Amino acid sequence: MLLTLPRVLDEQALYEARKLLAAGRWTGGRHTAGRQSAQVKDNEQLDPMDAGTIKLQQLVLQAMERHLLFFSAALPKKIWPPAFNRYAGGQTYGDHVDQAIRTQAQMRLRSDLSCTLFLSQPDEYEGGELVTRIGQVEHRVKGRAGDAVLYLGHTVHRVEPVTRGERLASFFWIESLVRDPGQRELLFNMDQALTALRSRDGESAEAVALMGTYHHLLRMWSDT
Ligand code: NI
């Protein structure tokens, strides 16, 4: 699965985010990486303790919570506090997989899904594509500022070197109510088809019956 989430941040939110990013305190990015990842990671991250970072995290989390496509695809149970990174001057993050379990203070999360939210416009930098490898195929994404991309937590991925300008992004992990990716995808497809059906035909008896089936499956497969 590789899904684009359009317009997670609107113009106003993006403007706010960019202002906070410009004023932020940046440090080397290796501290959130595991042992394998740290060897291939070269970027900067916002100091997670900074007041500006906490404002940015709230801004991103509120936007994610309002995004219907995100909710439908991820069925989120917990979202890791978003981190913010910056790549410039050839910086890169080579092939790696994200750690399955993240632990911090009182929080523990299984990273069922990874999410990258683009905060620079694609024409502001050269390179910097997010490359995910699914089976034998590599997918290269360079999203518009404010768009996000969602992919399975076990996907091998990298960020290509940024050879001009500056690439700003946020990234975080999601633990889903539904652990199994196949079951989650089935629920997503069913929910999307149902939404289309209801907007075309209104609340028909068939739509209500199918919605009952959706919620029955969700009840069977979810873990709250
Ligand atoms: Ni990663």
Side-chain angles (χ1 to χ4, degrees):
M1 189 207 67
L2 177 68
L3 182 70
T4 297
L5 307 172
R7 282 182 72 82
V8 170
L9 296 186
D10 61 18
E11 298 297 317
Q12 180 59 36
L14 195 56
Y15 174 77
E16 279 300 310
R18 290 290 293 254
K19 228 169 46 182
L20 288 163
L21 288 165
R25 202 164 61 218
W26 295 89
T27 58
R30 287 205 170 93
H31 61 275
T32 56
R35 204 178 302 167
Q36 184 268 328
S37 318
Q39 293 171 22
V40 291
K41 184 174 188 182
D42 175 24
N43 67 4
E44 288 183 300
Q45 274 174 219
L46 270 192
D47 179 348
M49 306 309 283
D50 203 46
T53 309
I54 291 162
K55 271 194 206 156
L56 273 163
Q57 288 175 333
Q58 287 166 348
L59 189 139
V60 171
L61 288 174
Q62 281 166 8
M64 295 314 294
E65 275 158 25
R66 283 195 299 263
H67 204 279
L68 296 179
L69 189 63
F70 169 69
F71 189 86
S72 175
L75 296 168
K77 179 177 176 179
K78 293 183 209 167
I79 303 180
W80 192 255
F84 298 85
N85 58 22
R86 176 166 78 176
Y87 293 80
Q91 285 179 317
T92 180
Y93 194 166
D95 274 336
H96 68 282
V97 283
D98 296 338
Q99 289 170 302
I101 307 291
R102 319 280 320 181
T103 312
Q104 176 184 287
Q106 308 297 316
M107 191 175 186
R108 178 180 288 213
L109 171 145
R110 187 186 62 238
S111 57
D112 295 320
L113 293 153
S114 297
C115 188
T116 294
L117 169 62
F118 293 94
L119 296 168
S120 298
Q121 294 297 355
D123 62 3
E124 290 181 271
Y125 59 97
E126 209 77 61
E129 293 88 352
L130 172 69
V131 184
T132 52
R133 198 187 305 152
I134 300 171
Q136 301 291 324
V137 184
E138 285 196 346
H139 301 265
R140 308 173 71 83
V141 186
K142 196 166 173 174
R144 285 176 307 187
D147 288 3
V149 58
L150 190 66
Y151 50 100
L152 294 175
H154 60 254
T155 311
V156 175
H157 57 283
R158 67 175 181 272
V159 176
E160 296 284 49
V162 173
T163 53
R164 178 188 66 81
E166 191 174 87
R167 177 197 193 268
L168 299 167
S170 176
F171 66 95
F172 47 91
W173 298 278
I174 298 110
E175 180 173 320
S176 179
L177 292 163
V178 176
R179 179 181 191 156
D180 182 86
Q183 292 174 340
R184 203 185 312 122
E185 191 167 354
L186 189 151
L187 287 167
F188 175 53
N189 291 339
M190 193 169 175
D191 185 48
Q192 292 302 297
L194 254 171
T195 303
L197 203 66
R198 289 165 72 204
S199 72
R200 196 184 66 192
D201 300 340
E203 301 300 334
S204 62
E206 292 81 1
V208 173
L210 281 174
M211 196 137 65
T213 307
Y214 171 86
H215 282 284
H216 195 78
L217 289 171
L218 183 56
R219 211 171 277 118
M220 275 166 59
W221 291 339
S222 62
D223 187 12
T224 60

